[in-house]
Amino acid sequence: MPVYDLHCHSTCSDGRLTPAELVARAAQKGVTHLALTDHDTLAGLPDAMEAATTWDINLITGVEFSVSWQRKPLHILGLDFDAAAPGLVALVETLQIIREQRAEKIALKLEKKGVKEPLEHARRFAGGKLITRPHFAHCLVEQGFAKDFESAFRYYLGQGKPGFVATQWVELETVVGEIRRAGGRAVIAHPRRYRLTHSWMRKLLKLFKECGGEGVEVVTGGCSPGDIEAMAQLAVRFELMASAGSDFHDPANPWVELGRLASLPGTLSPIWSQFDDQASNRVSEQIR
Ligand code: AMP
Ligand code: MN
Ligand code: MN
Ligand code: MN
């Protein structure tokens, strides 16, 4: 029986395992088809691919793009694309510049709150890779400003808090367009987490579909049966395919594990029915 997990993070963004460690863990947990979907970077794909060969697991190219839609931050997954597509590579470069500028602004705000050298700390913890808010959360915990990541977000980094920087990411239409041009599938990540009203959710799904989006993440790590049911109904109504991914970041989090997802409701077409069987081979040919 194939086991799909199409959403997870490595040390190339805000995950705690290297791409190779992540693939190894996924294989040990029984995942047969894995997509590594780091935030705004493709940097982990070559190492993940190499590990996937060793562990005999199917690696699907992935990325989780940061998008602004109606001033709201959303996450759009790209799956099963050509990782060498120039438009996609350029988009990743743009997002990395946005992230770098945002990190500088977050650091200035945190310094005003008495945090020492937050940018240097975040950069060091990110290991020279792209900087995310969890890297600043680590700094806040280390310096005693917060007891854990959750409170670092609640008191400093979350929306409206002293270290929050409103960011103009890239447009939804641009991201979906580039994923498509790269031969991939665009999927709305964890749609229920945005806490949209019914009417905003319908607006989003309609526009997403019109601009070429094909899937929604119906099953995601930590979601409830009610979340699955609600998203399944919307997927049917808007004729979108369904995806499943844990959004795994950290083996120390007992609530989210690779390959432990509920199965998709039978009424839905899985996004992987559209995948190119040669995807894994394409990663190795094109990235090297
Ligand atoms: P960024 O993309 O830099 O804004 O960072 C967002 C990431 O922070 C998400 O992908 C989550 O992994 C993490 N995150 C968001 N909210 C929280 C929270 N309340 N507690 C812990 N981690 C969080
Ligand atoms: Mn994350
Ligand atoms: Mn996300
Ligand atoms: Mn994610």
Side-chain angles (χ1 to χ4, degrees):
M1 264 269 286
V3 176
Y4 284 82
D5 193 328
L6 302 179
H7 187 163
C8 62
H9 298 270
S10 77
T11 47
C12 289
S13 65
D14 57 353
R16 296 304 282 265
L17 301 181
T18 64
E21 289 166 345
L22 188 79
V23 169
R25 188 179 183 94
Q28 288 160 352
K29 298 290 177 188
V31 175
T32 59
H33 294 74
L34 180 76
L36 170 61
T37 54
D38 274 311
H39 298 285
D40 305 322
T41 179
L42 308 173
L45 297 178
D47 283 359
M49 183 59 223
E50 198 171 307
T53 313
T54 310
W55 286 94
D56 196 22
I57 181 171
N58 296 287
L59 187 83
I60 292 119
T61 45
V63 60
E64 184 174 14
F65 281 119
S66 306
V67 159
S68 293
W69 175 68
Q70 304 277 342
R71 296 169 172 241
K72 301 178 219 304
L74 301 181
H75 286 171
I76 302 295
L77 299 169
L79 296 173
D80 195 36
F81 48 79
D82 166 8
L88 206 73
V89 171
L91 191 56
V92 162
E93 284 168 4
T94 301
L95 278 157
Q96 289 177 3
I97 293 167
I98 296 172
R99 275 195 177 272
E100 189 61 30
Q101 291 169 347
R102 179 179 79 141
E104 289 169 14
K105 289 183 194 158
I106 293 175
L108 281 176
K109 290 191 151 195
L110 294 179
E111 273 171 16
K112 287 196 182 129
K113 291 283 153 194
V115 182
K116 305 258 178 317
E117 303 193 325
L119 189 58
E120 292 72 9
H121 183 114
R123 218 187 278 294
R124 203 176 333 115
F125 184 49
K129 308 264 178 30
L130 102 181
I131 300 177
T132 66
R133 280 185 291 165
H135 297 113
F136 286 108
H138 187 268
C139 170
L140 288 163
V141 172
E142 286 246 308
Q143 294 188 23
F145 286 86
K147 69 173 182 345
D148 53 22
F149 274 32
E150 200 56 49
S151 47
F153 274 85
R154 183 171 316 138
Y155 298 111
Y156 291 93
L157 300 168
Q159 187 161 2
K161 303 302 171 197
F164 182 78
V165 171
T167 306
Q168 179 64 46
W169 300 103
V170 286
E171 296 286 328
L172 178 69
E173 294 89 334
T174 309
V175 164
V176 174
E178 290 305 344
I179 293 169
R180 296 269 301 200
R181 262 189 286 286
R185 314 283 162 182
V187 170
I188 302 178
H190 42 66
R192 299 269 289 170
R193 251 191 258 165
Y194 310 122
R195 303 191 178 284
L196 301 176
T197 61
H198 281 300
S199 110
W200 278 107
M201 179 70 92
R202 286 196 300 268
K203 259 185 226 169
L204 170 62
L205 296 180
K206 182 168 179 286
L207 172 71
F208 180 67
K209 173 107 185 166
E210 280 166 7
C211 68
E214 290 174 274
V216 283
E217 212 172 42
V218 170
V219 178
T220 175
C223 73
S224 69
D227 289 328
I228 297 177
E229 177 56 30
M231 273 328 294
Q233 283 182 16
L234 286 164
V236 169
R237 174 159 169 198
F238 286 86
E239 297 181 335
L240 288 159
M241 282 176 281
S243 189
S246 61
D247 203 6
F248 177 89
H249 284 73
D250 184 351
N253 176 353
W255 309 111
V256 177
E257 184 52 87
L258 292 159
R260 293 286 175 274
L261 295 161
S263 42
L264 287 181
T267 45
L268 306 177
S269 354
I271 191 81
W272 51 84
S273 64
Q274 305 299 308
F275 287 175
D276 176 350
D277 285 345
Q278 301 306 308
S280 298
N281 300 336
R282 287 204 329 237
V283 185
S284 52
E285 280 164 21
Q286 289 167 356
I287 292 185
R288 278 158 208 291

